[in-house]
């Protein structure tokens, strides 16, 4: 039994958030601050012949202008990943070639935002327009080359062929797909298209910088990856790491969108050159067009199987649109395979092929789900088709064939992130329970009996109903790559400073980490003063991505507090004149095992250690990397109603059962599930990027883009079904990403159950649904 | 230029330019609890109450509301004296990143003031203009229901 872990403890920043007290990046302003505006390309593909900024420079209030003319040509990747990054170095802060509508042309710093915006209009840019590639299927090997002779290169030894527009390529084989497929008595193929998508964190991207009293550069930024910001700004702006401090204040959501180094180098250079504070805040339109998005994907699954449902061979092929630059192009692609294929691990012959290509469309990046969102629609529909064809219940099918505790999948080793993966045996899983419980909660069996394309319920009706399901896995951190660390010291009154590099971006990780620390020391969460994250004051952490914070940073905290515990017990024993073996922790005290009344409080212990005898600071630091990435599992059951006249799909009920190991905080964990489901639904039914014939995004406002509002949400049932992950803190795994993946495949399977037709393209907007329904 | 305004029950001289929106004027005068998610009237993070009615302050010219009572989320309750509605938000787990929270709290406040016993549907309708990307809205609706419950059991009124 736990006391602080697995408890619904209120978020430690909660009251400050809901009273508007917490500060986000744009809430910081400084005397004498410059305001920065960026000019973005209106062309999808063009060469800049010249930039004439002479008029702008003479404008009253304009202080600095940055462009290719005065910024050194340094290739980098905007992807905030571990170093050396698996994404190609193909980006310049300000280059002469514009590769998508929204690319950086130049930036102005001025005394006010209005002057900066006005100055942008006075800058004369002469472009030579080039013929763009605006279709991902037309990119590979096209005569139009997007990164031609610009020196773009992969930072790690991976396949990269800019001359053919190939930004990334991944292949993994287990067994022999070709011959097993050929020999199979039944075969199906299914393709699926996933659209662009925007994270739509409600807080737009922003960065503010200033020089401190010793001339060091301080950057406050909306970032999920402060330490990667420090490293990459140092590289791009040519400022030593020792001169840079990056602070992450409160963050207004990220979802992967703030795992990208975009605004920071611009404000950094402005401040470094002018010696004045500088602020850049993107408008919503700039966030849509110029930052990063979910990659567009075309996937295809081929399955060879037998009449009893046994799958002999499965091939997943993915074509990814990297956009103008290859940020996360390789790793999202690899995850499209590695987060799906191990799920049914008894399939002996597996093949994954993937390619990321450059186009002159917006740049993809990290987005909650990270490849799995893009591959599950095809994968899970294929499994549904196999079950349908063989007359099997899909819930029982998953139960039979899914990966179990003590089992492995060769894919874990075959598919890594830019290198070989890491072999892993599954420890914790409650997937089978999730399947059973979800079926029960959603009335799966009754509804499957009732619905069906030829059922009395649906036949000849305008409104048709169906229920579909999908089972999924994800990961928890990147094994043997991601590292987290924590530092703790004890204070006079028995409180503790807990400094972590882990980046709470709204998920509640500061609270979750404090709960873990509380559990080790048997002292309340309020005893911990949590500070995250600041590259000067918190130890290194790769950042908040890859579902890593609870699992990885949590374990770093746990290790660190275990060390503190030893020190406290030692001092406590000394004070009680007992040996360490004779004492234990007890509700913020050290007590004698034999006699609980012999006690010293944490406050007394700390005061003793600081002021009285054998003085020292009770403190510790610890780091953690993980040899594995234990998957969380989730099962979603979705019941829908299709209006066959309008093409509108209405979600009637959404049931999710989730295995995240031990939920350290059941309320924030549930919040992660609900938030991800709604984001997934919004993406499955509405969200898309619509482009002009010239590659310009047309729907670049919240209203036109269509984010789900409160009014759109269906009734939801969420249940966390515990398992215990030995390698995680108190049995925890991750939860943040996995639940965004269910809506597309779950709705597609429900749609088949209602209508007998397969969906092949997201989002399932009314026009598309009508088109599918009208097909013979 | 400075002009007198009434913000959170206090008179205050706010520095502004005549064509500035209320959102900018408030933020430039240290009311940074009013957030800007889009500046185009589509997200509700800039919600304030004008004479008790929620509006998107990014769509209002500051000079046009000089006569009105402006309420930001801090006018409902502060860190030191939080309103029970704000406490419900924290209890229910409606506070993830918190960027939408000031707007959500104000929209909920004005709903509950008019209608202390809203149905779930009425809550969803009232919050329709406020986007949240983190919570999926579930726990925000829970927080409003929880507050309505508190109103009833303790025979309280919204104030
Ligand atoms: S900032 Fe005013 S509605 Fe979005
Ligand atoms: S809590 Fe993040 S936008 Fe609502």
């Amino acid at each position: 039994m736990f006391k602080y872990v697995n408890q619904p403890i209120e978020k430690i920043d909660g009251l400050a958030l809901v009273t508007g007290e917490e500060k986000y990046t744009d809430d910081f302003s400084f005397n004498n601050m410059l305001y920065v505006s960026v000019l973005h390309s209106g062309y999808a593909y063009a060469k800049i012949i010249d930039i004439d900024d002479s008029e702008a420079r003479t404008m009253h209030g304009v202080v600095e202008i940055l462009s290719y003319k005065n910024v050194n040509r340094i290739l980098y990747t905007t992807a905030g990943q571990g170093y050396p990054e698996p994404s190609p170095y193909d980006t310049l802060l300000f280059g002469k070639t514009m590769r998508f509508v929204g690319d950086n042309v130049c930036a102005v710093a001025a005394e006010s935002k209005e002057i900066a915006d006005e100055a942008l209009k006075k800058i004369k840019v002469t472009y030579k327009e080039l013929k763009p590639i605006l279709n991902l299927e037309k990119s590979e090997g096209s005569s139009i080359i997007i990164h031609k002779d610009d020196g773009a290169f992969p930072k790690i030894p991976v396949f990269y062929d800019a001359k053919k527009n190939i930004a990334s390529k991944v292949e993994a084989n287990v067994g022999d797909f070709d011959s097993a497929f050929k020999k199979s008595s039944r075969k199906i193929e299914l393709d699926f298209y996933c659209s662009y998508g925007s994270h739509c964190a409600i807080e737009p991207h922003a960065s503010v910088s200033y020089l401190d009293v010793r001339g060091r550069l301080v950057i406050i930024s909306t970032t999920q990856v402060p330490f990667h910001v420090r490293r990459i700004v140092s590289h791009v702006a040519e400022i030593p790491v020792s001169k840079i401090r990056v602070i992450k204040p409160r963050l207004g959501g990220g979802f992967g969108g703030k795992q990208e180094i975009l605004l920071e180098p611009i404000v950094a250079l402005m401040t470094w050159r002018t010696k004045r504070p500088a602020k850049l805040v993107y408008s919503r339109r700039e966030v849509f067009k110029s930052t990063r998005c979910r990659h567009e994907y075309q996937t295809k699954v081929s399955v060879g199987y037998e009449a009893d449902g046994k799958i002999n061979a499965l091939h997943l092929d993915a074509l990814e649109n990297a956009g103008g630059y290859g940020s996360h192009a390789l790793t999202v692609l690899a995850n499209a395979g590695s987060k799906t294929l191990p799920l049914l691990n008894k399939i002996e012959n597996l093949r994954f092929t993937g390619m990321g290509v450059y186009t002159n469309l917006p740049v993809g990046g990290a987005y909650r789900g990270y490849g799995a969102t893009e591959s599950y629609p095809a994968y899970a529909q294929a499994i549904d088709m196999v079950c349908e064809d063989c007359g099997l219940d899909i819930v029982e099918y998953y139960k039979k064939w899914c990966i179990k505790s003590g089992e492995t999948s060769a894919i874990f080793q075959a598919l890594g992130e830019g290198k070989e993966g890491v072999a892993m045996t599954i420890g914790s899983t409650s997937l089978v329970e999730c399947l059973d419980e979800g079926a029960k909660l959603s009335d799966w069996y009754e509804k499957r009996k009732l619905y069906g394309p030829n059922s009395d319920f649906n036949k000849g009706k305008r409104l048709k109903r169906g229920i579909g399901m999908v089972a999924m896995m994800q990961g928890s951190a990147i094994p043997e790559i991601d590292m987290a660390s924590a530092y703790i010291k004890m204070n006079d009154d028995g409180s503790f400073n807990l400094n972590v590099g882990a980046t709470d971006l709204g998920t509640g990780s500061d609270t979750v980490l404090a709960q873990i620390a509380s559990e080790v020391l048997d002292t309340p969460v309020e005893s911990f003063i949590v500070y995250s994250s600041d590259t000067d004051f918190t130890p290194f952490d790769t950042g908040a991505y890859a579902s890593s914070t609870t699992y990885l940073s949590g374990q770093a905290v746990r290790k660190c507090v275990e060390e503190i515990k030893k020190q406290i017990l030692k001092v406590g024993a000394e004070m009680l004149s007992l040996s360490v073996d004779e004492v234990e922790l007890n509700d913020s005290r050290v007590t004698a095992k034999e006699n609980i009344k012999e006690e010293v409080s944490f406050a007394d212990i700390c005061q003793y250690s600081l002021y009285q005898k054998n003085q020292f600071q009770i403190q510790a630091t610890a780091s953690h990397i993980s040899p594995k990435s234990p998957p969380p599992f989730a099962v979603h059951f979705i019941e829908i109603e299709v209006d066959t006249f309008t093409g509108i799909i209405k979600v009637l009920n959404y049931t999710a059962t989730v295995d995240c190991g031990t939920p350290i905080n059941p309320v924030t964990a549930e919040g992660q599930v609900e938030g991800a489901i709604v984001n997934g639904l919004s993406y499955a039914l509405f969200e898309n990027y619509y482009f002009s014939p010239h590659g310009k995004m047309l729907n670049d406002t919240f209203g036109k883009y269509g984010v789900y509002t409160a009014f759109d949400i269906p009734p939801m049932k969420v249940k966390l079904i515990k398992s215990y992950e030995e390698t995680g803190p108190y049995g925890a795994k991750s939860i943040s990403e996995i639940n965004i993946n269910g809506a597309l495949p779950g709705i597609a399977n429900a749609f088949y159950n209602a209508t007998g037709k397969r969906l092949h393209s997201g989002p399932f907007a009314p026009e598309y649904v009508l088109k599918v329904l009208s097909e013979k | 230029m400075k002009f007198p305004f009434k913000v959170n029950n206090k008179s205050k001289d706010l520095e502004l330019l005549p064509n500035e929106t209320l959102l900018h004027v408030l933020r430039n005068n240290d009311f940074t609890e009013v957030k800007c998610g889009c500046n185009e009237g589509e997200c509700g993070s800039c919600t304030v109450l004008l004479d008790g009615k929620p509006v998107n302050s990014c769509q209002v010219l500051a000079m046009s509301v000089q006569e009105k009572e402006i309420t930001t989320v801090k006018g409902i309750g502060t860190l030191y004296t939080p309103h029970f509605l704000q406490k419900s938000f924290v209890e229910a787990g409606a506070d993830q990143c918190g960027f939408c929270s000031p707007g959500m709290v104000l929209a909920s406040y004005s709903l509950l003031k008019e209608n202390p016993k809203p149905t779930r549907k009425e809550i969803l309708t009232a919050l329709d203009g406020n986007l949240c990307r983190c919570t999926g809205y579930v726990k925000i609706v829970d927080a409003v229901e929880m507050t309505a419950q508190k109103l009833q059991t303790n025979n309280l009124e919204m104030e």
Side-chain angles (χ1 to χ4, degrees):
Chain A
M1 264 309 284
F2 300 122
K3 196 161 160 191
Y4 300 103
V5 151
N6 196 228
Q7 301 300 324
I9 298 211
E10 290 178 5
K11 276 182 71 190
I12 57 177
D13 50 349
L15 264 190
L17 291 171
V18 301
T19 55
E21 205 66 56
E22 281 283 4
K23 293 259 179 287
Y24 300 73
T25 301
D26 188 22
D27 300 339
F28 291 89
S29 289
F30 299 93
N31 283 338
N32 207 22
M33 187 169 78
L34 295 169
Y35 295 81
V36 181
S37 292
V38 179
L39 184 66
H40 299 288
S41 170
Y43 294 105
Y45 197 18
K47 281 249 184 285
I48 298 177
I49 306 297
D50 190 36
I51 294 182
D52 176 4
D53 60 10
S54 51
E55 195 186 340
R57 280 192 183 272
T58 58
M59 267 177 72
H60 184 72
V62 171
V63 176
E64 177 62 294
I65 299 178
L66 300 178
S67 72
Y68 72 87
K69 290 195 163 175
N70 58 3
V71 174
N72 284 342
R73 193 179 183 286
I74 296 168
L75 284 161
Y76 76 115
T77 174
T78 58
Q81 300 179 291
Y83 183 81
E85 301 91 340
S87 298
Y89 276 34
D90 58 3
T91 311
L92 297 171
L93 191 56
F94 298 103
K96 286 186 82 171
T97 308
M98 299 294 107
R99 294 188 173 85
F100 69 104
V101 176
D103 212 347
N104 291 352
V105 178
C106 60
V108 173
E111 301 293 344
S112 74
K113 184 73 180 162
E114 291 68 33
I115 299 174
D117 286 343
E118 222 17 67
L120 291 186
K121 294 182 198 151
K122 300 266 158 64
I123 295 174
K124 292 183 203 76
V125 187
T126 320
Y127 296 96
K128 177 171 176 255
E129 217 185 322
L130 303 170
K131 193 170 176 319
I133 301 177
L134 300 175
N135 181 333
L136 88 155
E137 315 234 26
K138 299 221 167 101
S139 171
E140 186 203 355
S142 164
S143 60
I144 302 167
I145 300 170
I146 293 174
H147 285 272
K148 195 177 181 182
D149 307 326
D150 63 349
F153 67 100
K155 187 73 181 168
I156 58 169
V158 287
F159 182 92
Y160 180 74
D161 191 350
K163 287 202 177 62
K164 290 207 172 90
N165 290 325
I166 301 173
S168 59
K169 204 168 186 174
V170 177
E171 181 166 348
N173 287 294
V174 172
D176 179 355
F177 170 81
D178 284 331
S179 70
F181 185 70
K182 219 177 275 162
K183 278 190 223 134
S184 298
S185 64
R186 299 183 184 201
K187 298 180 176 92
I188 51 160
E189 285 189 342
L190 178 107
D191 55 77
F192 196 89
Y193 167 86
C194 280
S195 66
Y196 268 106
S198 174
H199 310 79
C200 294
I202 307 299
E203 176 200 33
H205 295 60
S207 294
V208 190
S209 57
Y210 61 91
L211 295 180
D212 71 10
V213 289
R214 296 195 188 160
R216 291 173 74 234
L217 177 74
V218 183
I219 304 172
I220 302 172
S221 194
T222 58
T223 183
Q224 300 174 222
V225 287
F227 288 90
H228 295 332
V229 169
R230 184 177 67 175
R231 188 188 77 242
I232 293 174
V233 167
S234 167
H235 171 67
V236 180
E238 300 175 281
I239 302 167
V241 164
S242 64
K243 297 257 184 237
I244 304 173
R245 171 182 174 195
V246 180
I247 300 171
K248 177 225 65 117
R250 277 302 99 184
L251 222 63
F255 316 111
K258 292 168 182 169
Q259 198 194 329
E260 211 73 20
I261 286 68
L262 296 164
L263 285 68
E264 295 91 347
I266 300 176
V267 292
L269 275 174
M270 291 296 188
T271 292
W272 200 244
R273 289 188 184 187
T274 63
K275 312 290 176 230
R276 293 177 60 178
K279 180 189 266 194
L280 172 55
V281 182
Y282 267 179
S283 69
R284 182 53 52 186
R285 287 172 196 259
E286 284 177 296
V287 174
F288 272 114
K289 280 202 285 228
S290 197
T291 67
R292 300 294 180 250
C293 24
R294 190 183 289 291
H295 295 96
E296 184 186 36
Y297 260 76
Q298 183 64 56
T299 56
K300 186 174 162 191
V301 173
S302 313
V303 186
Y305 59 104
E306 302 302 328
D308 62 355
K310 179 176 190 290
I311 297 178
N312 304 320
L314 189 146
H315 175 195
L316 176 62
D317 177 66
L319 178 63
E320 168 195 82
N321 180 2
Y325 300 95
S327 175
H328 296 268
L330 175 68
T331 39
V332 170
L333 190 61
N335 277 275
S338 64
K339 299 292 184 276
T340 44
L341 298 180
L343 185 67
L344 297 177
N345 66 328
K346 288 149 196 87
I347 304 173
E348 279 164 16
N349 303 287
L350 287 167
R351 178 149 207 238
F352 177 75
T353 46
M355 183 162 65
V357 294
Y358 288 120
T359 66
N360 295 108
L361 288 168
V363 184
Y367 193 149
R368 195 178 208 176
Y370 208 80
T373 313
E374 294 82 345
S375 55
Y376 269 108
Y379 181 82
Q381 282 198 85
I383 305 306
D384 196 52
M385 287 164 83
V386 169
C387 291
E388 173 73 25
D389 186 35
C390 303
L392 301 169
D393 171 53
I394 188 168
V395 175
E396 290 301 321
Y397 189 85
Y398 275 118
K399 276 163 70 179
K400 178 169 174 192
W401 296 100
C402 73
I403 194 162
K404 311 264 169 27
S405 184
E407 295 181 0
T408 187
S409 161
I411 290 291
F412 290 132
Q413 185 157 19
L415 257 179
E417 303 224 333
K419 53 182 182 185
E420 266 222 330
V422 179
M424 153 172 88
T425 307
I426 296 295
S428 59
T429 167
S430 66
L431 176 55
V432 170
E433 293 91 316
C434 286
L435 285 156
D436 279 333
E437 188 63 18
K440 222 190 283 162
L441 287 172
S442 64
D443 295 327
W444 168 257
Y445 289 105
E446 296 77 56
K447 286 183 175 157
R448 280 297 261 204
K449 244 182 244 147
L450 186 62
Y451 305 153
N454 299 314
S455 63
D456 292 343
F457 194 95
N458 284 331
K459 208 152 187 152
K461 302 272 175 59
R462 166 181 173 175
L463 301 176
K464 296 184 194 292
R465 287 189 179 188
I467 186 166
M469 63 81 66
V470 51
M472 298 163 286
M473 58 171 278
Q474 194 96 25
S476 307
I478 311 173
E480 299 196 344
I481 291 181
D482 286 346
M483 193 275 272
S485 52
Y487 168 75
I488 303 178
K489 75 174 167 65
M490 193 176 193
N491 302 316
D492 311 33
D493 60 350
S495 68
F496 300 85
N497 289 99
L498 168 56
N499 293 6
V500 287
T503 304
D504 190 335
L505 56 152
T507 49
S509 64
D510 285 354
T511 308
V512 161
L513 297 177
Q515 286 180 257
I516 292 168
S518 286
E519 191 67 39
V520 181
L521 287 182
D522 192 7
T523 193
V525 167
E526 297 78 62
S527 309
F528 292 90
I529 306 150
V530 184
Y531 185 55
S532 78
S533 22
D534 177 330
T535 57
D536 267 13
F537 296 108
T538 58
F540 183 86
D541 189 296
T542 31
Y545 58 89
S547 292
S548 62
T549 305
T550 300
Y551 176 72
L552 199 74
S553 310
Q555 197 68 318
V557 167
R558 184 177 174 172
K559 276 189 188 171
C560 189
V561 192
E562 293 283 2
E563 185 50 44
I564 293 279
K565 180 175 167 180
K566 277 191 211 149
Q567 297 177 23
I568 291 177
L569 285 173
K570 188 164 165 277
V571 177
E574 187 180 314
M575 290 170 75
L576 294 170
S577 309
L578 293 167
S579 78
V580 174
D581 303 335
E582 293 166 321
V583 295
E584 63 191 1
L585 287 189
N586 218 323
D587 208 359
S588 309
R589 292 166 305 160
V590 170
T591 53
K593 282 182 187 164
E594 295 286 302
N595 177 6
I596 199 167
K597 295 220 174 86
E598 272 185 63
E599 58 164 46
V600 274
S601 71
F602 276 12
D604 289 343
I605 288 174
C606 188
Q607 284 166 22
Y608 180 90
S609 74
L610 291 178
Y611 303 112
Q612 282 154 22
K613 212 172 154 202
N614 300 327
Q615 289 93 320
F616 75 109
Q617 167 75 62
I618 294 180
Q619 62 177 338
T621 183
S623 306
H624 187 64
I625 56 167
S626 175
K628 60 198 276 193
S629 175
F633 296 97
V635 186
H636 292 185
F637 292 83
I638 310 177
E639 187 186 359
I640 63 165
E641 183 173 81
V642 185
D643 184 333
T644 55
F645 286 13
T646 61
I648 292 172
I649 293 176
K650 185 173 168 200
V651 177
L652 302 174
N653 284 297
Y654 203 119
T655 306
T657 45
V658 185
D659 164 21
C660 62
T662 304
I664 301 290
N665 186 323
V667 172
T668 58
E670 257 174 44
Q672 286 298 310
V673 180
E674 291 156 358
I677 286 176
V678 171
N679 190 338
L681 279 171
S682 189
Y683 178 62
L685 294 173
F686 290 160
E687 297 180 28
N688 198 353
Y689 275 40
Y690 297 102
F691 295 104
S692 77
H694 307 290
K696 177 177 184 284
M697 185 201 186
L698 296 171
N699 55 329
D700 58 351
T701 65
F702 277 141
K704 290 187 201 148
Y705 178 72
V707 173
Y708 249 48
T709 71
F711 204 71
D712 299 311
I713 61 168
M716 266 185 257
K717 283 185 201 155
V718 170
K719 187 160 179 185
L720 306 175
I721 299 181
K722 273 184 235 170
S723 65
Y724 196 91
E725 175 54 44
E726 291 295 339
T727 65
Y730 295 107
K733 299 189 278 192
S734 80
I735 196 162
S736 58
E737 291 186 88
I738 181 167
N739 291 289
I740 201 169
N741 305 328
L744 274 171
I747 293 174
N749 286 341
F751 186 84
Y752 180 81
N753 186 235
T755 68
K757 308 234 167 178
R758 286 281 161 202
L759 295 168
H760 295 272
S761 176
F764 307 143
E767 313 80 67
Y768 172 67
V769 169
L770 284 179
K771 195 176 134 239
V772 171
L773 288 173
S774 69
E775 279 162 9
K776 278 279 154 289
Chain B
M1 279 180 284
K2 285 203 166 182
F3 293 89
F5 281 82
K6 278 174 278 170
V7 191
N8 296 338
N9 271 326
K10 286 200 191 91
S11 329
K12 183 131 187 166
D13 287 338
L14 300 184
E15 182 79 46
L16 60 85
L17 296 171
N19 59 352
E20 277 187 299
T21 62
L22 181 58
L23 170 61
H24 278 144
V25 172
L26 287 171
R27 286 188 58 78
N28 290 341
N29 285 275
D30 287 338
F31 294 96
T32 52
E33 69 268 28
V34 190
K35 301 297 178 204
C36 177
C38 72
N39 211 25
E40 301 201 50
E42 294 184 335
C43 74
S45 54
C46 64
T47 303
V48 298
L49 303 183
L50 285 183
D51 289 341
K53 294 259 171 310
V55 297
N56 289 330
S57 62
C58 69
Q59 300 301 300
V60 174
L61 276 184
M63 287 303 277
S64 69
V65 296
Q66 245 188 300
E67 298 307 312
K68 296 196 195 284
E69 281 285 346
I70 302 165
T71 311
T72 75
V73 75
K74 285 190 186 166
I76 306 282
T78 67
L79 184 59
Y80 313 101
T81 53
H83 192 278
F84 55 85
L85 168 64
Q86 289 164 319
K87 285 195 196 155
S88 306
F89 263 66
V90 180
E91 271 171 58
D95 52 340
Q96 283 196 31
C97 80
F99 201 79
C100 69
S101 302
M104 286 289 185
V105 167
L106 287 165
S108 312
Y109 176 87
S110 114
L111 165 73
L112 289 169
K113 188 138 195 175
E114 296 231 315
N115 178 1
K117 279 196 219 168
T119 62
R120 204 158 170 100
K121 188 142 192 206
E122 285 167 335
I123 299 172
L124 296 173
T125 313
L127 300 181
D128 197 40
N130 293 70
L131 296 182
C132 173
R133 193 62 150 177
C134 301
T135 62
Y137 305 100
V138 182
K139 300 214 182 306
I140 295 178
V141 179
D142 290 350
V144 179
E145 282 183 335
M146 196 185 271
T147 314
Q149 200 58 50
K150 284 185 197 169
L151 286 172
Q152 272 166 58
T153 25
N154 304 319
N155 225 338
L156 290 170
E157 271 183 35
M158 278 311 265
E159 50 177 293

